[in-house]
Amino acid sequence: MADEALFQFLHNEVIQYIYKSAEGGETENGRNITKLENMGFRVGQGLIERFTKDTARFKDELDIMKFICKDFWTCVFKKQIDNLRTNHQGIYVLQDNKFRLLSQLSAGKQYLEHAPKYLAFTCGLVRGSLSNLGVKSIVTAEVSVMPACKFQVMIQKL
Amino acid sequence: MLMFCCCLLQNSELFTLTYGALVTQLCKDYENDEEVNKQLDKMGYNIGVRLIEDFLARSSVGRCQDFRETADVIAKVAFKMYLGITPSVTNWSPAGDEFSLILENNPLVDFVELPDNHSTLIYSNLLCGVLRGALEMVQMAVDVRFAQDTLRGDNVTEIRMKFIKRIEENLPAGDDQEERKMVFY
């Protein structure tokens, strides 16, 4: 059973690798964010694969989101999502007041511009997990005050 | 129902799957296996130089007296703590400066199969870099490489570690002898 710290170290190193040759332009940054998000997506799919693809297990979409907030978040980040809000029309906001993967960055406004790099993989993780549970979505994230962040999940109706 | 779900979701797979995604990305980015191997080693090194602090803070190991003790700590404490396995330490060289870590199973390669066109890929090469980087931070220069790999058809995975030399700490001029004796931990 691999230690949580190992994943954090690897996650940070992956970010450093993706950005190492970046000129820092906006297109480059966007491409890198996408790369990280796609990696997270594949990992999220893989993680959920062990879980039976029986979506009848879940009563509804909200049930799936609660699963993400409680069980999934606990397994991956050793804590639950602190707050879940929804407009009951396919948009969910998951708030984590102490997001583990931001702990490497100092609290403070000057690091806010780097925060998206540390959120991209997790956005993909959530999107990939939902995908294997039969839910298509777009997942974005934002940091307002470190280390709190919000993940926004927009369910895509097929 | 929710409790049952949690048992099926193993956190250990997060690292393994992420590692797999990384190797996949590297294979896309680089022309050949040798480049990927080098990159994995480099990334492992970067992780190792930070991991050592985490390790020393969380384990209660003191300073190792010799390379044999270092080997035991690596196998029984470090590998156990980070990967949940305890490799065996064997094949000591007569001079006592080289040994093997035998891993019966390698958690990194769960569900992994090497495609035919990647026969020279050292999939788990990150581990070599981690060990090298970590030991460098405690003043040991070592050479680490895979001697056997289950992914390439061997029965076990064998990591060979060789002690090269002790690295002198670079202290600024003017420190007195007493301070020089203070060790890393």
Side-chain angles (χ1 to χ4, degrees):
Chain A
M1 171 116 175
D3 189 76
E4 187 199 356
L6 252 193
F7 169 70
Q8 287 202 31
F9 282 113
L10 183 65
H11 177 256
N12 288 336
E13 197 49 41
V14 168
I15 294 170
Q16 299 310 314
Y17 166 73
I18 297 277
Y19 275 86
K20 68 169 164 42
S21 51
E23 281 98 51
E26 193 140 330
T27 340
E28 188 71 43
N29 189 49
R31 256 205 294 274
N32 293 339
I33 295 282
T34 303
K35 270 192 199 173
L36 286 166
E37 208 270 355
N38 283 337
M39 280 180 72
F41 181 81
R42 286 198 297 278
V43 174
Q45 285 187 310
L47 271 180
I48 289 288
E49 233 171 68
R50 300 250 318 202
F51 184 67
T52 324
K53 249 190 195 190
D54 180 12
T55 49
R57 233 177 238 290
F58 295 108
K59 289 205 309 275
D60 52 26
E61 193 178 272
L62 182 59
D63 219 23
I64 293 178
M65 292 312 298
K66 282 182 182 169
F67 166 78
I68 297 287
C69 293
K70 290 193 182 139
D71 297 72
F72 182 80
W73 220 256
T74 303
C75 272
V76 176
F77 299 113
K78 299 287 187 291
K79 68 182 285 291
Q80 294 186 7
I81 282 285
D82 295 298
N83 191 285
L84 171 67
R85 292 209 303 277
T86 179
N87 64 355
H88 294 288
Q89 279 168 28
I91 297 190
Y92 298 85
V93 179
L94 288 63
Q95 183 160 323
D96 189 328
N97 291 329
K98 209 171 169 193
F99 188 54
R100 292 292 244 256
L101 300 182
L102 284 175
S103 61
Q104 289 282 306
L105 297 183
S106 309
K109 290 219 177 283
Q110 77 264 42
Y111 292 101
L112 269 180
E113 62 173 294
H114 294 291
K117 301 176 190 174
Y118 290 84
L119 301 171
F121 184 88
T122 303
C123 288
L125 208 64
V126 173
R127 188 169 67 89
S129 303
L130 286 172
S131 168
N132 261 35
L133 291 173
V135 176
K136 193 158 181 237
S137 64
I138 294 176
V139 183
T140 55
E142 61 174 26
V143 177
S144 47
V145 181
M146 296 268 226
C149 66
K150 290 185 188 156
F151 292 88
Q152 181 170 268
V153 180
M154 282 180 287
I155 308 293
Q156 310 285 287
K157 296 294 180 212
L158 296 157
Chain B
M1 184 268 282
L2 287 174
M3 284 292 286
F4 176 58
C5 300
C6 203
C7 299
L8 293 177
L9 265 182
Q10 298 288 323
N11 178 259
S12 60
E13 291 179 358
L14 175 63
F15 176 77
T16 304
L17 288 169
T18 304
Y19 187 72
L22 170 66
V23 178
T24 303
Q25 184 67 46
L26 290 175
C27 287
K28 276 198 198 127
D29 293 344
Y30 290 100
E31 296 277 295
N32 58 63
D33 291 347
E34 197 44 55
E35 282 303 314
V36 177
N37 294 339
K38 258 196 241 165
Q39 192 61 39
L40 283 172
D41 180 79
K42 190 165 145 207
M43 292 176 76
Y45 176 85
N46 292 340
I47 291 174
V49 301
R50 291 179 184 90
L51 192 91
I52 184 72
E53 263 180 58
D54 181 78
F55 175 69
L56 292 173
R58 288 163 58 188
S59 67
S60 47
V61 294
R63 188 186 186 184
C64 289
Q65 295 302 316
D66 56 29
F67 203 46
R68 276 186 189 266
E69 212 178 312
T70 305
D72 277 347
V73 168
I74 290 171
K76 295 178 185 150
V77 189
F79 264 86
K80 184 99 178 83
M81 184 185 287
Y82 291 108
L83 290 173
I85 56 167
T86 309
S88 46
V89 178
T90 61
N91 292 353
W92 279 98
S93 63
D97 64 345
E98 200 172 346
F99 68 91
S100 291
L101 288 166
I102 308 283
L103 283 68
E104 297 275 315
N105 69 298
N106 177 0
L108 265 64
V109 309
D110 284 346
F111 318 120
V112 173
E113 259 177 47
L114 280 187
D116 288 331
N117 58 333
H118 286 291
S119 55
T120 52
L121 178 68
I122 307 171
Y123 184 85
S124 307
N125 213 31
L126 192 99
L127 289 183
C128 294
V130 173
L131 288 165
R132 194 166 57 82
L135 288 175
E136 190 175 300
M137 291 298 106
V138 289
Q139 273 60 56
M140 274 184 267
V142 294
D143 181 67
V144 191
R145 60 179 180 88
F146 276 89
Q148 292 189 77
D149 192 349
T150 50
L151 273 189
R152 308 220 284 203
D154 300 309
N155 286 334
V156 291
T157 297
E158 180 185 353
I159 296 174
R160 194 95 186 122
M161 290 189 66
K162 185 180 168 78
F163 179 82
I164 307 293
K165 63 173 187 185
R166 189 140 201 90
I167 303 170
E168 292 309 314
E169 283 176 72
N170 283 326
L171 292 175
D175 281 359
D176 63 25
Q177 276 304 111
E178 205 42 56
E179 277 194 37
R180 270 183 195 278
K181 283 196 193 136
M182 276 176 65
V183 293
F184 183 77
Y185 18 86

